Amino acid sequence: MVTCISRVIREDDVVAQGISTPMVAAGYQLAKLTHAPNATFVFADGNTLVKRHAPLSLLWIEKYTVGDSLYRFGFPELVTEILSAGHVDIEFFRPAQIDPHGNMNNISIGPFEKPKVRLPGVGGITEAVEELPSYCVYVPRHDSTVFVEKLDFRSSTGLFSSRRAGNQASSRTHGLSQVITDLCVLELDHKTRRLALKSVHQNSSVEEVRKKTGFKLQIPKRVPTTLPPLKVELELIRERIDPLGLRKLERIPSRQRKLFLIEYLKRELAAGKNPS
Amino acid sequence: MGFVRELIRKNARHLDVIAFTAGPETDILVGAGCVRTIRTCYLGLGFIGLAPASRRFTEKGKLRIIDETELTISAALKAALLNVPFLPIRGEGFWETDFHRVRPDLEPFQSPIGNEKLLAVPRIKPDVAVIHTLMADDRGNAIIEGQLCVDKELSRAAAYVILTTEKIVDHSFLAARKQLQIFDFNVDVVVELPFGAHPTSCFPEYTFDLRHLADYAEAGKTPEGFDEYLRRYVNISSHEDYLRLVNFSEIRVR
């Protein structure tokens, strides 16, 4: 998944990262160390602009996001003058639920007034999906509780047809481009406005994707295999970007989270020196 | 966090909490029964997981969450600073969502200039803001070296501003840094509170206490676990006693 995320980033992109997304962080660092050395990072954790590379860290996260920053914004300045002003090229979001049209739910599972699970909330997703020229979604554990026919709460929209103020002549369809999961890559078909299977990973199958998706996916006659990670990319991830495995936090079930974190803490304390 | 623990000891009730991102400081107030509503765009413990007490209370219908977005809170604070009843945002991201069901106060309207459909975001003017800083002088000039979030805006918009600080220093020491974030004329009270952000971080002095927060996330899942946490870390006589319970070797990591 990390390599799929990395491949979306283009050289010179201004890339935004939301709150607590280590898998995305790994993808961004891989892009910076390979095909996008001039990418600019804009971090919610830190409210900062950073161009340097650093390995992932939990304890030292602020040493990188704040300490290595070229500019400290504060949220209102970042949100109004960089995001709303249209200077960010790409961002990745993780939904609790996503429907066939790419609409997402980050508010609650079950009824809003008395939810079964109260989720953290949207952060900046509701406006970002309209402000960005396009955006991506990632789902570390592809299953039918995430890919649902109908959302319990619609907190953001998949596709937009809008006229930009001051540019009345042009309108565009923009919004969700890719959904990257642990099984496959999906894309939003702008004509049918439905999610379609773009490629299936080497370790999975069309059948598994179909089974684990809670709605009917558009599936082409021939589904290519996702380009696997290169050995070079894996080496970069395991040795330079995330040797302690923080990105794996996004794939473990919540009941194992505490154990993972304590083990991870011991590893980071033992590693001893500041990685950046 | 130090302030919040004292607030719990003082038995604060019916608080309407505004937090741009609401973390342990908000969750512990919820669990202690101090909170009526939370207004926020993100409620959780970040890498650690969901906010346990807030989850419990909301899922039982005992807590009302007013869902914001990064943009709506930013616009609402700016409206307070500009002294206008609302600020417009483009709002296109909101039109086809369920936000109108839970935020009827966000009003669509036709722009008087240019005729576009816009979304009016009502102003938020906090009654009290509590801000933790790295260093401050005794008048309230202060420096923050970590994430700024909405601290500057809060200090300028809120009616009453309480500053806690790792260390009170001489004004000339602050002035030499040439980078104040908070000004004395915006501040009402300054309190020296070393390690006052624990178990969260205060960059560059200390990082967050991962072990403590992981324990809290677990304890907070049940009323019994939460009460035990309160007994251990809050229902003690002072901030100094609290600091005796802190493992500094896991947070003073340079």
Side-chain angles (χ1 to χ4, degrees):
Chain A
M1 281 183 65
V2 171
T3 53
C4 291
I5 291 170
S6 163
R7 282 173 204 145
V8 173
I9 313 300
R10 295 162 308 183
E11 169 72 320
D12 297 327
D13 270 353
V14 176
V15 186
Q17 187 192 347
I19 299 168
S20 301
T21 58
M23 196 175 268
V24 175
Y28 288 0
Q29 295 299 329
L30 181 60
K32 177 150 277 281
L33 288 181
T34 55
H35 61 274
N38 189 46
T40 303
F41 298 138
V42 163
F43 293 132
D45 283 332
N47 303 159
T48 50
L49 186 152
V50 176
K51 286 186 89 88
R52 281 190 64 182
H53 154 74
L56 266 54
S57 169
L58 206 46
L59 297 183
W60 284 282
I61 186 171
E62 283 178 295
K63 268 226 141 189
Y64 174 55
T65 58
V66 179
D68 282 344
S69 67
L70 295 173
Y71 190 77
R72 261 190 321 159
F73 291 97
F75 258 122
E77 185 183 357
L78 174 53
V79 162
T80 57
E81 297 180 28
I82 302 295
L83 281 154
S84 283
H87 299 304
V88 175
D89 295 302
I90 191 79
E91 191 167 357
F92 280 77
F93 303 114
R94 180 177 173 174
Q97 293 177 331
I98 183 168
D99 75 9
H101 312 288
N103 305 313
M104 297 195 285
N105 174 14
N106 283 84
I107 297 281
S108 56
I109 310 285
F112 177 82
E113 296 72 17
K114 211 165 179 230
K116 191 158 155 278
V117 183
R118 170 66 226 201
L119 302 164
V122 298
I125 297 177
T126 307
E127 58 262 5
V129 296
E130 199 282 327
E131 291 161 349
L132 297 164
S134 75
Y135 67 96
C136 291
V137 163
Y138 74 109
V139 178
R141 291 183 301 156
H142 186 139
D143 74 32
S144 52
T145 63
V146 176
F147 291 93
V148 297
E149 184 67 55
K150 188 173 186 310
L151 303 172
D152 292 348
F153 188 102
R154 185 160 146 185
S155 59
S156 69
T157 298
L159 264 189
F160 295 88
S161 308
S162 61
R163 287 184 190 282
R164 291 264 144 165
N167 193 8
Q168 297 297 312
S170 91
S171 78
R172 60 195 181 113
T173 306
H174 66 286
L176 176 57
S177 83
Q178 286 186 41
V179 179
I180 294 168
T181 85
D182 57 332
L183 304 182
C184 65
V185 179
L186 307 173
E187 62 188 350
L188 191 54
D189 183 328
H190 285 208
K191 282 203 216 73
T192 63
R193 302 177 88 94
R194 286 189 70 94
L195 281 171
L197 185 54
K198 182 178 181 190
S199 68
V200 70
H201 299 340
Q202 254 188 339
N203 57 312
S204 181
S205 67
V206 174
E207 211 31 61
E208 186 180 16
V209 171
R210 205 198 302 260
K211 209 172 61 169
K212 289 187 174 170
T213 305
F215 54 78
K216 193 156 184 288
L217 262 180
Q218 252 173 243
I219 298 181
K221 280 206 181 67
R222 206 195 135 262
V223 180
T225 306
T226 314
L227 198 66
L230 293 170
K231 285 209 177 90
V232 162
E233 290 174 314
L234 290 177
E235 217 171 279
L236 278 166
I237 295 167
R238 287 168 191 165
E239 287 174 27
R240 280 196 65 188
I241 294 167
D242 189 20
L244 302 180
L246 183 59
R247 67 194 181 282
K248 297 174 188 167
L249 180 62
E250 299 222 51
R251 278 184 49 78
I252 61 167
S254 55
R255 66 185 176 278
Q256 289 169 17
R257 184 175 275 258
K258 183 177 175 184
L259 189 63
F260 177 95
L261 286 170
I262 300 300
E263 287 304 304
Y264 182 86
L265 172 67
K266 290 192 194 135
R267 288 202 295 279
E268 259 205 6
L269 289 173
K273 48 183 167 45
N274 173 10
S276 74
Chain B
M1 287 292 319
F3 174 86
V4 157
R5 285 185 287 269
E6 182 64 22
L7 203 56
I8 294 174
R9 286 192 283 271
K10 289 280 193 290
N11 240 327
R13 286 283 175 268
H14 310 303
L15 298 173
D16 295 313
V17 174
I18 305 161
F20 196 96
T21 54
E25 77 297 322
T26 305
D27 196 61
I28 196 177
L29 280 172
V30 170
C34 304
V35 177
R36 179 167 54 191
T37 66
I38 302 177
R39 180 187 286 275
T40 184
C41 72
Y42 177 92
L43 171 58
L45 304 185
F47 295 95
I48 315 282
L50 298 178
S54 302
R55 252 198 86 174
R56 261 193 295 123
F57 276 58
T58 313
E59 289 163 17
K60 290 200 163 66
K62 290 197 289 177
L63 172 70
R64 186 176 159 230
I65 297 178
I66 302 168
D67 279 284
E68 297 274 3
T69 75
E70 291 175 0
L71 185 54
T72 59
I73 304 191
S74 299
L77 284 174
K78 288 273 186 188
L81 290 166
L82 283 167
N83 215 358
V84 292
F86 71 89
L87 271 183
I89 62 173
R90 275 208 320 273
E92 280 175 272
F94 292 75
W95 300 147
E96 288 166 36
T97 65
D98 289 325
F99 261 96
H100 64 274
R101 283 175 36 204
V102 298
R103 293 296 309 277
D105 59 317
L106 297 176
E107 294 245 25
F109 72 104
Q110 213 73 24
S111 169
I113 299 167
N115 222 30
E116 270 176 276
K117 184 181 178 192
L118 298 174
L119 190 63
V121 180
R123 89 175 126 212
I124 298 171
K125 189 175 166 63
D127 296 320
V128 182
V130 184
I131 302 166
H132 188 67
T133 59
L134 179 66
M135 60 181 97
D137 64 23
D138 61 1
R139 293 184 163 278
N141 295 300
I143 286 176
I144 296 167
E145 282 187 15
Q147 177 167 341
L148 291 173
C149 197
V150 282
D151 291 349
K152 293 188 299 183
E153 290 80 2
L154 281 180
S155 73
R156 297 162 193 174
Y160 193 84
V161 176
I162 299 169
L163 232 53
T164 58
T165 185
E166 292 293 319
K167 197 94 189 107
I168 291 181
V169 299
D170 190 66
H171 177 80
S172 59
F173 183 75
L174 276 185
R177 306 284 279 246
K178 290 196 179 346
Q179 45 147 356
L180 289 188
Q181 276 72 45
I182 299 185
F183 316 121
D184 58 15
F185 55 85
N186 286 135
V187 174
D188 294 283
V189 177
V190 184
V191 179
E192 187 174 84
L193 206 65
F195 296 94
H198 185 275
T200 62
S201 70
C202 184
F203 183 81
E205 286 289 350
Y206 47 96
T207 186
F208 58 96
D209 192 332
L210 177 49
R211 195 186 298 273
H212 185 117
L213 285 168
D215 285 343
Y216 173 78
E218 183 96 0
K221 285 182 180 158
T222 64
E224 300 74 32
F226 186 87
D227 286 343
E228 177 56 39
Y229 179 89
L230 276 192
R231 208 178 355 259
R232 212 173 151 210
Y233 292 106
V234 179
N235 296 338
I236 50 179
S237 45
S238 66
H239 182 68
E240 287 70 31
D241 285 330
Y242 176 83
L243 292 181
R244 282 186 241 283
L245 306 169
V246 170
N247 180 355
F248 293 101
S249 70
E250 288 189 349
I251 61 172
R252 297 270 305 169
V253 281
R254 294 249 198 184

